Amino acid sequence: MVCTFCGAASIEGAMVCSACVEKVKEEFFLRDWSVDPRSDLRSLGIRSACLRVGPSSQGEVLLRKGSDPYLLVERTLQAEDRSHLPTVLDHYLAGMGVGLHLMGDEQLPVRPKVKELLSIPDQMDYQGERWGRALLRLGNLLALSARDLSRLPLGDDLRRGLFADRASRALALYRRAAAVPELAPISNANAAVLRIWGGDIEALEELRTMAVDDGTRMQLAKVYWDMGKEDEAAEAVAMTEDLQESVLRLRRGCP
């Protein structure tokens, strides 16, 4: 059998070769990337997609550092005073489309710098809700990647191993975010969704008991929908305050 990706001889029990497996381990992989007209290629100094102009009180256009979200994150990391990093990072990830609640229908833009952001919690720690929100969003990135890696033709053992590795990193971030009392319910619900993706059926009952707000109810509905339980999904959606918006979110990404 040959490798699905490069055509070399695949390893036993999988449809990929050992070299491609190592590449996958090093990549931040998501199955469905969205088109991003404002890609972070700007941060590399090439193919700038936008130019921020004015208003200028001096009557002329000045070229200087702007407020591009990722460049702001990068400059903050390089600054001596990094006290506002949690706010900057939370803002950047939210703008990417990474919500606080893990849904599974997120389609995130192709941004080369995302992998670097995932290493930030390993290097520093902060206190407060903003930092907790950033940790939740980073955990969601890892959770989405864990799920999508588990769907690659890598063989059962490799898929389980890759899922377990990234899922454990996501769960560690969720635990850190749960130290903020206001974020603990979201953190626990996200962890339950991730465990369900990993085949933990008991986590479904836990998520059902947590579904006391619209965000968690939508998580429960998405889980039911993905399991083919449309009636249960409809019941969960019916409990939300904005029914029309919830129905649209439930069907997001569906054919």
Side-chain angles (χ1 to χ4, degrees):
M1 187 176 294
V2 298
C3 176
T4 303
F5 300 116
C6 70
S10 64
I11 59 180
E12 185 178 354
M15 297 176 65
V16 294
C17 66
S18 56
C20 286
V21 168
E22 292 304 315
K23 290 179 182 178
V24 168
K25 288 180 179 179
E26 295 299 322
E27 288 296 320
F28 174 72
F29 175 81
L30 289 179
R31 186 183 60 175
D32 296 320
W33 294 101
S34 68
V35 176
D36 183 17
R38 300 183 61 191
S39 171
D40 283 336
L41 287 176
R42 290 193 304 278
S43 66
L44 304 179
I46 58 176
R47 297 182 183 176
S48 179
C50 68
L51 176 65
R52 185 182 296 273
V53 178
S56 173
S57 60
Q58 299 179 1
E60 59 181 329
V61 176
L62 302 176
L63 299 179
R64 58 186 179 184
K65 293 179 179 179
S67 57
D68 177 271
Y70 181 77
L71 294 180
L72 186 56
V73 172
E74 198 170 52
R75 290 201 302 272
T76 303
L77 288 170
Q78 296 171 355
E80 184 176 346
D81 178 13
R82 301 175 183 173
S83 58
H84 54 294
L85 176 63
T87 298
V88 172
L89 183 57
D90 179 48
H91 174 72
Y92 175 73
L93 292 169
M96 264 186 64
V98 187
L100 295 176
H101 290 85
L102 179 63
M103 294 293 180
D105 61 4
E106 297 88 343
Q107 291 191 359
L108 308 178
V110 181
R111 295 189 173 180
K113 296 291 186 177
V114 169
K115 185 178 177 181
E116 297 179 15
L117 300 180
L118 294 172
S119 66
I120 292 177
D122 297 330
Q123 303 166 10
M124 54 196 73
D125 196 17
Y126 294 88
Q127 302 296 320
E129 184 175 354
R130 278 292 183 179
W131 178 240
R133 289 163 64 94
L135 292 177
L136 280 178
R137 298 187 202 275
L138 290 173
N140 290 348
L141 282 175
L142 287 167
L144 291 167
S145 182
R147 181 203 57 177
D148 288 356
L149 277 174
S150 71
R151 297 176 176 179
L152 291 176
L154 304 174
D156 292 341
D157 291 342
L158 283 172
R159 284 202 304 266
R160 283 194 291 266
L162 289 170
F163 178 89
D165 175 66
R166 300 209 176 173
S168 65
R169 292 172 60 192
L171 290 171
L173 293 179
Y174 292 153
R175 286 192 292 271
R176 289 171 64 179
V180 180
E182 296 83 357
L183 300 178
I186 303 176
S187 177
N188 294 334
N190 289 355
V193 171
L194 178 55
R195 288 166 51 206
I196 292 169
W197 290 350
D200 186 347
I201 303 302
E202 293 182 1
L204 178 59
E205 180 59 32
E206 294 178 20
L207 183 63
R208 188 183 295 114
T209 61
M210 297 178 196
V212 295
D213 59 80
D214 280 5
T216 314
R217 288 175 185 135
M218 280 306 306
Q219 288 179 295
L220 180 62
K222 293 293 289 186
V223 167
Y224 277 137
W225 186 269
D226 292 341
M227 296 173 67
K229 299 182 177 182
E230 297 184 9
D231 291 341
E232 290 86 344
E235 290 178 7
V237 166
M239 298 174 64
T240 61
E241 294 185 7
D242 192 332
L243 182 59
Q244 183 176 5
E245 179 182 350
S246 298
V247 171
L248 291 174
R249 182 62 195 261
L250 178 64
R251 296 189 61 82
R252 177 178 171 182
C254 298

